[in-house]
Amino acid sequence: MLVLGIETSCDETAVALYDTDRGLCGQSIYSQIELHERYGGVVPELASRDHVQKLVPLIRQTLSQSQLELSDVHSIAYTSGPGLMGALLVGASIGRSLAWALNISAMGVHHMEAHLLAPLLDQSPPDFPFVALLVSGGHTQLVFVRAIGDYSLLGQSLDDAAGEAFDKTAKVLGLGYPGGPEIARAALSGDPSRFNLPRPMTDRPGLDFSFSGLKTAVKLAVEKRLPLSAESLADIAASFESAVVDTLIIKCQRAIEKTKVKSLVIAGGVAANKTLREKARILDCQVFFPLDNLCTDNGAMVAFAGHQRLTAGLTNSLAIEVRPRWDLDRLDPILQS
């Protein structure tokens, strides 16, 4: 089965082709960073309009690069949530319309399930069950994964997600957007031990996260040192990055001990952070990351997630439906034969 995957949940327009026998055949990604960086964050209306302009050309480009025709596609998978309402509707509308015109099946995919399954595209994927740390955009979650579609939420952010904390802290420091790469770059020359920033909610039991207090601590440290020197900026960035990563690692270790699994998947945009990858080595389990080009939003993970459900015989109605809010643990499991 050849599946065309479409991702338009936020600020990346992405398309990919995944085949049962050949695996990933090709993918294309267009980032809207330049469009939104002047505003310091994603502007939903601008994101939706840009998806409208870029999606069809990207589908054509991906098919051409893969030396395939639209008539070769057997099914279409598109992100139907969670995400920005208008952005989701672009991908859902085009995906459903193409499926109807070609008389083929289509599947709405959960964005976080797609991230969770991205490491399965590697040549050495994790075995089930495993714990997944999902750190993507507005989500920071720990999930117990028994099988595809069989998930239990262990913990989540109660306020700002890790990605949001990076973006907001970068803004406080006068850095660009998106905040994750900007802070990581600034932190390279910084001293992570100079500022004693909190590791939120690690002094009590539980697997939930909270990063709003950490963001406030950074703001106070900056205000005391205005105008901020280059050295202080680098040290604050390094200290903040270290605090976020330490918090994530501590919670991951707790989840591993609670579930007694041997494998941990770390997926989503923050999974590309080098400090997180280095500190994950101390965990008492085998750690899996997606390939570098599959950490941020992409069509390959959507095509693959849709493929797993479509080949299991699952179907959606013909209605164009999106879910800006959608709990991962409410997904239907895929029954194993």
Side-chain angles (χ1 to χ4, degrees):
M1 176 185 286
L2 179 65
V3 179
L4 172 68
I6 295 172
E7 158 61 21
T8 63
S9 66
C10 190
D11 59 346
E12 270 96 19
T13 313
V15 176
L17 290 158
Y18 182 84
D19 183 72
T20 304
D21 298 322
R22 290 173 290 171
L24 185 61
C25 301
Q27 66 170 327
S28 302
I29 301 175
Y30 176 81
S31 174
Q32 299 179 358
I33 287 177
E34 290 187 9
L35 178 65
H36 300 290
E37 63 182 348
R38 74 186 71 175
Y39 306 103
V42 177
V43 181
E45 179 65 22
L46 295 180
S48 302
R49 292 180 182 181
D50 208 50
H51 288 313
V52 171
Q53 294 177 340
K54 300 297 191 306
L55 183 51
V56 171
L58 276 181
I59 292 173
R60 290 174 176 153
Q61 175 182 310
T62 307
L63 287 166
S64 176
Q65 290 175 347
S66 305
Q67 298 183 327
L68 292 165
E69 301 290 338
L70 194 57
S71 57
D72 296 321
V73 175
H74 301 124
S75 296
I76 295 175
Y78 58 89
T79 303
S80 58
L84 302 175
M85 172 69 86
L88 291 168
L89 280 170
V90 176
S93 299
I94 293 178
R96 275 284 162 199
S97 298
L98 281 174
W100 183 83
L102 296 169
N103 195 28
I104 59 177
S105 57
M107 171 64 63
V109 170
H110 192 292
H111 183 72
M112 299 311 295
E113 179 178 52
H115 272 301
L116 183 155
L117 298 179
L120 273 63
L121 284 161
D122 202 351
Q123 292 183 345
S124 301
D127 293 325
F128 296 104
F130 58 80
V131 166
L133 171 66
L134 302 179
V135 274
S136 173
H139 297 85
T140 300
Q141 298 177 327
L142 277 165
V143 181
F144 181 45
V145 181
R146 299 178 188 83
I148 297 177
D150 190 356
Y151 312 125
S152 294
L153 183 65
L154 301 173
Q156 62 184 331
S157 180
L158 303 179
D159 42 57
D160 287 345
E164 291 173 319
F166 270 105
D167 287 340
K168 292 178 181 179
T169 299
K171 195 169 185 179
V172 169
L173 293 174
L175 300 175
Y177 172 85
E182 292 291 327
I183 286 180
R185 208 162 11 248
L188 289 174
S189 58
D191 177 5
S193 63
R194 179 179 169 188
F195 293 93
N196 185 25
L197 297 177
R199 275 59 178 164
M201 297 185 71
T202 58
D203 59 348
R204 69 195 76 172
L207 296 172
D208 288 329
F209 301 89
S210 171
F211 292 105
S212 62
L214 175 57
K215 177 195 64 181
T216 302
V218 170
K219 185 178 179 181
L220 292 174
V222 169
E223 289 175 348
K224 288 180 181 179
R225 290 161 181 85
L226 291 175
L228 201 62
S229 67
E231 180 182 5
S232 291
L233 188 151
D235 290 346
I236 292 174
S239 299
F240 169 79
E241 181 183 55
S242 180
V244 172
V245 169
D246 285 351
T247 301
L248 295 175
I249 294 299
I250 289 168
K251 298 288 185 170
C252 284
Q253 183 61 46
R254 289 182 184 177
I256 293 162
E257 293 170 357
K258 178 178 180 177
T259 59
K260 297 180 173 57
V261 299
K262 303 294 185 182
S263 301
L264 170 72
V265 161
I266 301 179
V270 182
N273 183 277
K274 291 183 179 179
T275 301
L276 177 59
R277 291 187 175 227
E278 290 171 1
K279 290 193 176 183
R281 295 173 184 170
I282 70 170
L283 292 169
D284 188 23
C285 67
Q286 191 172 6
V287 184
F288 297 83
F289 291 91
L291 298 172
D292 288 347
N293 64 339
L294 300 183
C295 287
T296 55
D297 294 350
N298 62 87
M301 67 182 192
V302 175
F304 179 74
H307 176 274
Q308 303 310 301
R309 291 183 168 274
L310 287 161
T311 53
L314 299 181
T315 59
N316 285 162
S317 70
L318 294 176
I320 297 174
E321 296 178 336
V322 297
R323 303 182 189 182
R325 297 182 181 275
W326 190 2
D327 293 337
L328 183 62
D329 54 2
R330 292 188 179 182
L331 279 172
D332 293 329
I334 294 178
L335 301 177
Q336 303 297 320
S337 58

